[in-house]
Amino acid sequence: MTNFLQATFAVFRKDITAELRSREIIFAMMVFSMLVIVIFNFALELDPATRKEVTSGVLWATFAFAGTLGLNRSMAVEKDRGCLDGLLLAPVDRSAIYFGKVLSNLAFMFIVEAFVLPLYSALYNVNLFNPGLLLVILLGSIGYTAVGTLLASMAVQARTRDVLLPILLFPIAIPVLLSAVKASTGFLNGVEMAEIWPSLNLLIVYDVIFTAVAFMVFDAVVEE
Amino acid sequence: MIEVKKLIKRFGMKSVLRGVDFRVERGEFVALLGPNGAGKTTFLRILSSLARPSLGEVKVAGYSLPNEAAQVRARLGVVSHMPLLYGDLTAQENLEFYARMYGITEYAIRITEVLDMVGLASRRNDLVRTFSRGMAQRLAIGRAVLHDPEVILFDEPYTGLDQDASSMLDEVLKSVAAQGRTVVMTSHDLARAEDLATRFDILTRGVIAASSSREALGSNNLLTFYKQALAA
Ligand SMILES: Nc1ncnc2c1ncn2[C@@H]1O[C@H](COP(=O)(O)OP(=O)(O)OP(=O)(O)O)[C@@H](O)[C@H]1O
Ligand SMILES: [Mg+2]
């Protein structure tokens, strides 16, 4: 067990050290999120009332797209230099590698989200600093990253991985995204907690299921 | 140390290995030779638990694959033609990372030892992306022996190296093998294989077609033996 946690943390720490040095992944994700936000708002030509309606949809679309970018890059780093083999050769349960990658992908997601929220607030004059919304973002990102990391390790084997990941990931992640959008809208519009609970519960259930499934099948996915 | 019986590996409909029998005793240095596409890399990937056998029995260091893969991996070092190193980390950081993955405690001393052995002590704080092919390959060997494995697998370690780098690698390989380790190396460089190995196995058409110890080879040279095995 200590070996398992040590390996998980080693993978996480390695990713963060490398990213702090190159800043490749986070920079790409940030630029991309910024473009998505701006384009959505131009394209939808919103008056302030409708803008409020679509805010959570735009936010989650941004997170989802930026997320696939990060998931792909972070797995490509492993694959292209053969490092994935190096990880798989370590004498630890391979799910430790999966959890390590989930942690670093999650960290990248959180950093980008921490950049997007104030940016969106400032550009469109909506207050997004709502504790409920932050909770939804936490839960939604966990589910999305849990399933995304697993699928990225499948997609990375293919030459068409950049297209393959969204094609695999979006349909499977739809339940997470729908519940997240619903709960976010609820919190932003100050709806009664009783109405938000179902979506919040669903998010928690998906987080648990996706993590458990990925834990079980990761080994089979990465072996030839 | 390594025991393989009737190993079969298929990719879809294609059989790459069709009943490989292979046995290596402790301390042997086996050169695994064969034409392109013979399945040497595939075979080493199965021995290192990166690929699953389709059929057959595989035992490494007393543990059978794929069921006891973690025990096998703890006793195994692998050098492939890719360095398995992170360009955005320094040599030192790469080795620290792998030391943690292998659960090595007190790794600071071991890392210094390994860096000295592969002649990279002075470059320990440089990013691996700035390394030449030869330096990266030496660090890859350092990475592979970090946890002091009993068995080492080399897949074409000389690919892409110039004369100087190759002779430096000769020294490193010899010192790695001299410590009583069991080594299997694939190579297309017959002269190097002849120089290093104690046994020569030829993999072709999905089986080990011929095998000879250095002594049995006698005055015949390896090239003749290799050609005969392919022609048979
Ligand atoms: N993942 C894979 N999927 C399908 N076929 C594969 C896969 N890996 C290897 N092969 C096939 O298996 C055969 C053996 O390949 P392998 O790389 O093991 O040969 P090799 O002896 O190492 O060749 P070389 O000397 O060129 O390195 C080849 O025909 C190759 O196309
Ligand atoms: Mg090969």
Side-chain angles (χ1 to χ4, degrees), chain B residues 22 30-35 38 40 190 200-205 207-212 222 225-230:
Chain B
F22 185 72
V30 178
L32 187 64
L33 311 169
K40 303 179 295 295
L190 295 186
F200 313 96
D201 281 23
I202 317 287
L203 178 66
T204 178
R205 297 179 297 271
V207 294
I208 304 281
S211 171
S212 168
L222 183 55
F225 174 69
Y226 180 73
K227 281 187 170 156
Q228 274 166 1
L230 291 196

Side-chain angles (χ1 to χ4, degrees), chain A residues 6-7 10-11 13-14 17-18 21-22 78 80-83 85-92 94 97 223-224, chain B residues 9 45 48-52 70 73-74 78 82 84-89 93 97-98 100-103 127:
Chain A
Q6 197 189 6
V11 172
R13 180 170 165 176
K14 177 268 297 174
T17 312
R21 206 160 272 150
S22 71
E78 306 289 355
D80 292 346
R81 297 179 132 256
C83 293
D85 284 349
L87 294 181
L88 298 179
L89 284 168
V92 289
R94 280 166 176 169
I97 298 162
E223 213 167 58
E224 273 169 20
Chain B
K9 176 68 180 178
R45 288 180 70 80
S48 57
S49 87
L50 289 172
R52 255 170 210 275
R73 293 199 289 263
V78 176
M82 297 231 253
L84 316 188
L85 298 165
Y86 294 93
D88 284 325
L89 300 183
E93 286 167 345
F97 167 62
Y98 280 110
R100 290 191 197 104
M101 293 299 285
Y102 280 86
L127 292 188

Side-chain angles (χ1 to χ4, degrees), chain B residues 99-117:
Chain B
R100 290 191 197 104
M101 293 299 285
Y102 280 86
I104 302 172
T105 48
E106 315 282 323
Y107 49 73
I109 302 165
R110 179 66 186 148
I111 288 176
T112 307
E113 224 171 75
V114 165
L115 284 171
D116 280 334
M117 185 188 89

Side-chain angles (χ1 to χ4, degrees), chain B residues 54-87:
Chain B
S54 305
L55 266 179
E57 219 178 284
V58 182
K59 266 188 162 183
V60 179
Y63 296 93
S64 67
L65 285 171
N67 294 331
E68 299 170 302
Q71 283 92 326
V72 170
R73 293 199 289 263
R75 290 161 182 81
L76 188 76
V78 176
V79 178
S80 76
H81 34 231
M82 297 231 253
L84 316 188
L85 298 165
Y86 294 93

Side-chain angles (χ1 to χ4, degrees), chain A:
Chain A
M1 198 59 208
T2 52
N3 274 353
F4 188 93
L5 291 179
Q6 197 189 6
T8 302
F9 189 65
V11 172
F12 172 66
R13 180 170 165 176
K14 177 268 297 174
D15 278 347
I16 300 299
T17 312
E19 181 59 22
L20 284 179
R21 206 160 272 150
S22 71
R23 299 197 188 93
E24 245 174 72
I25 298 175
I26 290 183
F27 184 71
M29 287 171 85
M30 282 182 177
V31 171
F32 193 72
S33 327
M34 203 160 69
L35 292 176
V36 174
I37 293 177
V38 172
I39 287 173
F40 259 117
N41 279 275
F42 277 130
L44 298 175
E45 285 194 42
L46 300 176
D47 56 90
T50 19
R51 182 178 297 149
K52 204 164 170 221
E53 290 293 304
V54 302
T55 292
S56 60
V58 171
L59 279 180
W60 280 102
T62 310
F63 297 157
F65 282 119
T68 54
L69 201 67
L71 289 164
N72 245 334
R73 287 295 324 145
S74 134
M75 208 42 96
V77 171
E78 306 289 355
K79 187 67 184 174
D80 292 346
R81 297 179 132 256
C83 293
L84 191 57
D85 284 349
L87 294 181
L88 298 179
L89 284 168
V92 289
D93 192 293
R94 280 166 176 169
S95 46
I97 298 162
Y98 165 76
F99 283 117
K101 291 307 281 186
V102 168
L103 283 185
S104 30
N105 287 332
L106 205 50
F108 300 155
M109 273 299 257
F110 287 153
I111 292 171
V112 170
E113 287 159 351
F115 162 80
V116 165
L117 290 183
L119 181 78
Y120 193 97
S121 302
L123 278 178
Y124 303 111
N125 201 18
V126 249
N127 183 16
L128 293 178
F129 288 88
N130 174 320
L133 178 66
L134 296 185
L135 176 69
V136 177
I137 290 180
L138 177 77
L139 293 175
S141 305
I142 291 176
Y144 190 75
T145 313
V147 63
T149 304
L150 178 71
L151 295 176
S153 55
M154 285 167 84
V156 79
Q157 317 281 350
R159 211 173 332 141
T160 51
R161 63 185 171 217
D162 294 319
V163 201
L164 194 58
L165 179 60
I167 291 177
L168 292 173
L169 177 55
F170 289 161
I172 296 177
I174 275 179
V176 172
L177 295 176
L178 282 184
S179 326
V181 170
K182 205 150 175 230
S184 309
T185 312
F187 278 117
L188 285 176
N189 295 339
V191 170
E192 297 260 327
M193 250 340 255
E195 272 184 52
I196 304 177
W197 267 120
S199 332
L200 221 46
N201 275 332
L202 218 53
L203 264 184
I204 295 172
V205 170
Y206 282 126
D207 284 3
V208 173
I209 292 178
F210 281 155
T211 311
V213 169
F215 175 74
M216 287 185 289
V217 303
F218 183 73
D219 203 358
V221 163
V222 290
E223 213 167 58
E224 273 169 20

